[in-house]
Amino acid sequence: MKPVRTKIVVKGIVQGVGFRPFVYSLAGSCQLKGFVLNSSEGVVIEIEGESTPDFIDRLQKEAPPLSRIMSVEITTHPYHGYKDFTILKSKDVGSFTLISADVSICNDCFRELLDTKDRRYLYPFINCTNCGPRYTITESIPYDRPNTTMAVFKLCPDCDREYHDPLDRRFHAQPNACPVCGPRVELIVQEKKEKGKGRGKARRNKKTPIEETIKLLKQGAILAVKGLGGFHLACDAMNEDAVNRLRLKKRKSNKPFALMSPDIETIKKFCTVSEAEEEYLTSNKRPIVLLNKTKNRLPEAVSPHNPCIGFMLPYTPLHYLLFYHPFPENTKCEMRESLSTQHSALSTHFDALVMTSGNIAEEPIVIDNDEAVSKLSDIADAVLVHNRDIFMRADDSVVRVNSFITDPPISPASKGGNGRGTVLSSPGKNQLALSFIRRSRGYVPDPVPLHEDGPEVLGCGADIKNIFTLTKGSFAIPSQHIGDMENYETLLFFEESLRNLKSVYRVEPVALAYDLHPMYLSTQWALRQENIKKIPIQHHYAHVGSVMAEKGIKEKVIGVTFDGTGYGTDGGLWGGEFLIADIKGFRRACHFRYIPLPGGETAVKEPWRIAVSYIKNITGNEVMPYLDSIGFTRRYGVERIRSLLQILDNRQFSPLSSGAGRLFDGVSALIGVCDENTFEGEAAIALEAITYPDIVDDYPVDIKFKETMEVDFSHTILRIMEDIKEKKEKGIIATKFHNTLITVIERVVEKLSSLNGIKDVALCGGVFQNMYLLERTIDRLRSLGMNVLIHDKVPTNDAGISLGQAYIIRERIKAGIL
């Protein structure tokens, strides 16, 4: 047979993950000649030799663990006659390739970090091809050192040799560095200012910055610490005074702080950790995992009135050094076998550190050294900086791990999409299901596969917890967590991230989608854009579209979308919605009965107002005796309540809402669990926290089966009030209320399925972050034979909106609807 040359183009996450050295070694073992190179379209391989079929087979089976192959294109060409196999210089051919997310420190680098004989002993920026920064330092593609923020650091001879040796673990590790040639750490200590003389003078420590940082933390100081995607504000989590001071200075709300512990065994001192949760905690993505508290040895201010704490393990060498860095009096440093070892031979300085985002109020996380000193010095006593610039800021990801009966299985080790993802239908064994609360560092910019090519579009998102989504080829690319679009600084971050991702992925959207709410900053920004088609997409329709995008669905589904607020097509505030939806559009098939929100946004922050509104809606002018019977007049005062009642019928001050989130808020306040939301969802979280798993009773509810069905909770509220007067336990009332919502979903979905012949039902919206509600709803719907679709690639809260927006307009353009 005449010899030929085989060209292979591998697309996916194949740059910055050790793919070229893997190909080099594989070609050598197969005795093939040719070359491999990185290009802006992926990894390009040309090979000649008899073992080509074996090479192609092994290419996907043995690919590096950090890689994610999306496609392999194989073509044959005339024989060239290569003499050897080489790695060629990267090429930019005007196409695009996917960028790897940032990766936590690997076992090999961790061992070297604590090895006194290694030249990188205690070096806070140790990394290799298998770990280290990726997305946060990438300025453009192909992913090569000159296109990263490491370009300013010239490799020393030792690092240069490693970088160019295909058989070395650091071959083309773009952040490769050592103490001789790489980034360095510096501690800036803000000296105490004299009274009336403003900020004190700053002292800089370049010789022993980490040792002094540890000492300051032990003394109860608050430190700003530069990480992979931005600064953290850190303190000793066991020091109650330090935690209280941090909460007073940084966060006025009860929103929980995230914690970092040195290993799994230490985390188990504070929380229960399942096998599944441990798997995600120790994964190379290192998210914050929400865990259930056990004996709370931590100060209450870490996670006030909350049954969960968010824990993560260290993910950079610098983080590990904060726990393990030896002091002169204890220089002997015994190595741990690996990062997963449960019992450390090293003593640690801390059981847990608070590691909360380094920002002011709702502004973006700080990434610049000078900005950190300027903005965070009023909170932090010192700032630990380094001179490796962050190009793309990225907060820590937050996840929750749940066990559902799933088909097909979900696994954190899974490398590719499976079409429908999490589809809960026919019986099977328990599998892992990952719920994102915040999708950012470690997961971004991993794409969501859309399974076929389509036009380039932009979904601008909504308001709270916002992200945007771009599409390119057969992928959707959600951005990192942007945050609440409440100020100019966040809007600038939105624009900065959009410019960067458009540049890196070479996206030029032909259309954009935006939320209907006229007051959202994202909507106002979208409407200001010129020379692009702009399409409004209703908020809850976008929620459903987001689930459809993950599962590759275009046909009709029943969308159950529960959240706090979303602007409706009738100008009302929707949030308890049952939609019949496909890519062409949607029909509002059922919703919760509207109730006024007295004071608008004030009612969201003070849920007792919503409780009063529900009771007034039921009892009319006889409301005061009812309020008095459950202690509301004593608790909030007669005059205050009367003033509230006067504005209930004024739509300017009391807009109508059908929000499920507002119903949870009202019930939480009604039974005396939480009557103030200091952060979004606090009252609802507190209500879920007191539920009992084994109570099956519920309350009566009225579902009006008409053309557009309506759910009226008047009877539910009245029975809750009776239970309050009978002094029933709050946990029992909360559980029966949750069960009532589950019954409502079951009955409405069953009716809609029968009327429309639809078996697919999507559960979405921030209320479905409630695990009691989600798990039991899935159970009920499965018993009806429904195919239940839930998120597993983006959050189900408003951070998932932009994916749905982008998917809907992309599919409409493809179908010729737009």
Side-chain angles (χ1 to χ4, degrees):
M1 182 181 291
K2 189 176 180 180
V4 296
R5 170 170 49 108
T6 302
K7 181 178 179 179
I8 305 169
V9 179
V10 186
K11 295 183 179 181
I13 300 174
V14 289
Q15 294 187 15
V17 293
F19 207 86
R20 284 176 299 169
F22 156 70
V23 170
Y24 180 90
S25 298
L26 182 59
S29 69
C30 293
Q31 298 182 323
L32 300 175
K33 313 298 183 185
F35 68 82
V36 61
L37 62 81
N38 271 348
S39 87
S40 52
E41 64 174 339
V43 170
V44 178
I45 306 164
E46 288 197 6
I47 49 174
E48 295 173 342
E50 294 180 359
S51 301
T52 295
D54 183 42
F55 176 92
I56 293 171
D57 181 56
R58 293 171 62 188
L59 183 69
Q60 297 192 64
K61 289 180 179 178
E62 301 174 16
L66 296 183
S67 67
R68 185 177 172 191
I69 296 175
M70 302 289 193
S71 68
V72 179
E73 300 172 4
I74 302 172
T75 55
T76 56
H77 302 268
Y79 184 72
H80 182 276
Y82 292 111
K83 302 301 182 185
D84 54 14
F85 193 89
T86 57
I87 299 175
L88 299 184
K89 186 178 179 181
S90 298
K91 285 185 179 180
D92 187 343
V93 296
S95 186
F96 86 104
T97 191
L98 300 172
I99 301 171
S100 168
D102 299 289
V103 184
S104 68
I105 182 174
C106 68
N107 287 340
D108 291 330
C109 285
F110 183 74
R111 280 193 292 268
E112 292 170 351
L113 178 71
L114 300 181
D115 183 354
T116 55
K117 297 177 183 178
D118 194 276
R119 72 187 188 93
R120 292 185 176 87
Y121 173 58
L122 301 182
Y123 182 55
F125 303 98
I126 188 171
N127 68 88
C128 70
T129 307
N130 300 317
C131 68
R134 298 289 192 277
Y135 174 65
T136 52
I137 64 169
T138 301
E139 296 177 342
S140 63
I141 55 171
Y143 176 70
D144 285 318
R145 194 179 182 98
N147 297 331
T148 73
T149 60
M150 287 297 296
V152 297
F153 298 99
K154 184 179 179 180
L155 292 167
C156 69
D158 287 335
C159 288
D160 189 67
R161 175 187 52 76
E162 295 168 333
Y163 184 85
H164 288 100
D165 181 357
L167 300 180
D168 193 282
R169 199 175 88 247
R170 293 187 169 89
F171 173 73
H172 275 241
Q174 309 308 339
N176 188 30
C178 73
V180 174
C181 64
R184 300 189 178 185
V185 175
E186 179 182 6
L187 181 67
I188 303 171
V189 183
Q190 195 72 42
E191 302 290 359
K192 290 184 179 180
K193 57 187 178 182
E194 295 181 32
K195 191 173 182 180
K197 292 191 176 182
R199 184 173 290 166
K201 188 177 179 181
R203 173 174 59 82
R204 294 176 178 267
N205 180 348
K206 297 182 180 181
K207 292 185 177 180
T208 57
I210 297 174
E211 294 95 317
E212 185 175 358
T213 295
I214 294 167
K215 287 179 180 178
L216 288 172
L217 288 168
K218 287 186 173 184
Q219 292 166 6
I222 298 169
L223 272 287
V225 179
K226 191 175 184 180
L228 270 183
F231 279 82
H232 286 112
L233 286 166
C235 71
D236 182 357
M238 303 302 291
N239 187 320
E240 188 169 6
D241 289 340
V243 176
N244 286 333
R245 194 159 63 92
L246 178 56
R247 182 162 292 283
L248 181 65
K249 285 188 165 191
K250 199 258 180 179
R251 181 176 288 162
K252 302 295 190 276
S253 73
N254 293 325
K255 192 174 181 180
F257 285 137
L259 301 186
M260 179 181 285
S261 282
D263 52 40
I264 290 292
E265 284 303 308
T266 305
I267 294 177
K268 288 179 179 178
K269 294 179 181 179
F270 309 108
C271 298
T272 58
V273 182
S274 69
E275 185 178 336
E277 288 163 341
E278 182 172 337
E279 190 168 355
Y280 280 100
L281 281 165
T282 58
S283 75
N284 59 30
K285 295 182 179 295
R286 287 292 199 276
I288 297 169
V289 179
L290 296 187
L291 303 170
N292 292 319
K293 293 178 182 176
T294 51
K295 296 177 181 177
N296 191 10
R297 298 171 54 236
L298 293 161
E300 177 62 19
V302 167
S303 180
H305 320 300
N306 197 307
C308 296
I309 305 178
F311 265 100
M312 60 181 158
L313 291 175
Y315 53 86
T316 70
L318 181 57
H319 291 151
Y320 272 109
L321 291 176
L322 292 179
F323 289 99
Y324 292 117
H325 196 293
F327 281 88
E329 64 272 18
N330 181 28
T331 54
K332 186 178 180 182
C333 187
E334 300 179 49
M335 280 197 304
R336 296 173 67 189
E337 287 301 312
S338 74
L339 296 176
S340 60
T341 302
Q342 297 299 310
H343 297 284
S344 172
L346 270 171
S347 60
T348 62
H349 298 298
F350 308 98
D351 273 354
L353 291 173
V354 170
M355 282 287 194
T356 189
S357 298
N359 61 349
I360 302 296
E362 296 302 325
E363 291 184 13
I365 188 171
V366 172
I367 60 172
D368 179 75
N369 293 347
D370 291 338
E371 185 184 14
V373 173
S374 170
K375 284 192 171 183
L376 302 180
S377 288
D378 287 339
I379 301 174
D381 302 301
V383 184
L384 187 65
V385 302
H386 58 71
N387 59 340
R388 184 180 69 200
D389 287 344
I390 297 168
F391 184 68
M392 298 284 263
R393 71 187 84 207
D395 282 273
D396 295 314
S397 294
V398 183
V399 304
R400 193 164 189 168
V401 183
N402 307 289
S403 180
F404 299 114
I405 297 179
T406 68
D407 180 20
I410 303 301
S411 168
S414 175
K415 283 191 176 182
N418 53 32
R420 286 225 162 172
T422 308
V423 182
L424 301 119
S425 53
S426 57
K429 64 180 181 179
N430 285 340
Q431 303 288 348
L432 303 182
L434 184 67
S435 296
F436 282 100
I437 309 299
R438 183 168 72 202
R439 185 182 185 270
S440 203
R441 192 261 312 149
Y443 293 92
V444 170
D446 287 356
V448 175
L450 299 179
H451 312 296
E452 54 189 33
D453 283 348
E456 297 174 6
V457 301
L458 166 67
C460 297
D463 185 47
I464 303 297
K465 300 180 176 69
N466 199 35
I467 69 170
F468 62 82
T469 295
L470 292 165
T471 65
K472 178 78 174 184
S474 60
F475 302 110
I477 305 160
S479 75
Q480 70 270 46
H481 171 74
I482 302 296
D484 298 350
M485 301 284 285
E486 295 179 348
N487 52 56
Y488 180 65
E489 290 78 10
T490 306
L491 182 60
L492 289 180
F493 176 30
F494 175 95
E495 293 179 324
E496 166 196 291
S497 300
L498 179 58
R499 279 194 305 271
N500 292 345
L501 273 180
K502 282 173 63 178
S503 173
V504 166
Y505 284 111
R506 294 166 181 173
V507 178
E508 286 299 331
V510 298
L512 64 78
Y514 62 92
D515 195 273
L516 289 178
H517 202 303
M519 299 307 293
Y520 283 178
L521 279 183
S522 62
T523 298
Q524 294 170 4
W525 178 88
L527 293 174
R528 289 196 300 270
Q529 304 313 297
E530 299 177 350
N531 303 317
I532 189 171
K533 192 174 186 65
K534 299 180 277 285
I535 300 104
I537 299 293
Q538 198 279 327
H539 188 93
H540 301 93
Y541 178 34
H543 267 306
V544 179
S546 184
V547 180
M548 294 170 67
E550 283 196 16
K551 315 312 171 192
I553 293 176
K554 301 174 189 177
E555 61 273 14
K556 280 185 169 57
V557 301
I558 299 169
V560 183
T561 174
F562 286 2
D563 63 5
T565 300
Y567 200 80
T569 54
D570 60 357
L573 303 178
W574 294 8
E577 311 302 317
F578 296 81
L579 310 180
I580 305 296
D582 58 18
I583 62 162
K584 297 177 184 177
F586 75 96
R587 176 172 65 85
R588 193 186 193 194
C590 178
H591 62 86
F592 291 2
R593 182 182 177 185
Y594 283 114
I595 60 117
L597 297 181
E601 278 298 310
T602 306
V604 177
K605 295 175 181 177
E606 300 177 7
W608 67 270
R609 292 168 171 258
I610 300 173
V612 171
S613 182
Y614 267 106
I615 297 169
K616 169 66 165 61
N617 202 40
I618 299 166
T619 61
N621 293 331
E622 304 300 316
V623 63
M624 290 304 289
Y626 284 91
L627 292 173
D628 188 55
S629 69
I630 58 171
F632 261 47
T633 52
R634 183 179 66 257
R635 198 182 312 169
Y636 303 108
V638 173
E639 290 306 312
R640 194 178 182 193
I641 290 174
R642 289 193 188 280
S643 297
L644 187 71
L645 294 173
Q646 287 177 0
I647 64 169
L648 269 176
D649 294 326
N650 187 326
R651 291 298 152 259
Q652 182 180 353
F653 301 111
S654 301
L656 294 175
S657 167
S658 65
R662 302 291 79 87
L663 174 63
F664 272 84
D665 289 345
V667 171
S668 187
L670 179 62
I671 67 176
V673 172
C674 179
D675 62 1
E676 181 185 9
N677 275 322
T678 66
F679 65 92
E680 192 203 16
E682 182 177 2
I685 291 169
L687 194 66
E688 180 193 1
I690 61 172
T691 54
Y692 291 107
D694 53 350
I695 294 177
V696 296
D697 295 342
D698 57 17
Y699 291 114
V701 64
D702 184 15
I703 302 174
K704 296 178 171 63
F705 292 102
K706 49 187 182 180
E707 185 175 353
T708 300
M709 292 187 281
E710 185 180 81
V711 183
D712 184 350
F713 290 95
S714 297
H715 291 297
T716 307
I717 298 299
L718 286 171
R719 288 291 296 272
I720 288 174
M721 292 170 66
E722 289 177 14
D723 281 352
I724 293 170
K725 286 184 278 188
E726 293 174 8
K727 302 190 183 306
K728 293 280 181 67
E729 187 184 341
K730 293 177 182 178
I732 294 174
I733 300 174
T735 307
K736 290 169 68 177
F737 167 71
H738 277 75
N739 293 342
T740 304
L741 265 291
I742 295 163
T743 299
V744 165
I745 296 169
E746 177 189 27
R747 289 172 60 189
V748 172
V749 168
E750 184 176 29
K751 184 70 172 179
L752 293 177
S753 175
S754 174
L755 290 173
N756 297 277
I758 301 172
K759 285 295 183 180
D760 287 336
V761 54
L763 305 179
C764 49
V767 170
F768 282 109
Q769 291 175 159
N770 181 317
M771 288 302 108
Y772 183 99
L773 181 71
L774 180 63
E775 291 175 359
R776 288 158 179 78
T777 298
I778 288 170
D779 240 6
R780 292 276 191 93
L781 294 180
R782 286 187 64 254
S783 70
L784 298 176
M786 304 298 297
N787 302 316
V788 185
L789 312 169
I790 62 172
H791 280 292
D792 61 18
K793 293 181 177 66
V794 298
T796 197
N797 57 39
D798 279 8
I801 288 281
S802 65
L803 174 61
Q805 293 172 336
Y807 182 69
I808 289 166
I809 65 169
R810 176 185 185 270
E811 295 305 314
R812 286 183 180 180
I813 293 172
K814 282 172 57 182
I817 299 172
L818 289 177

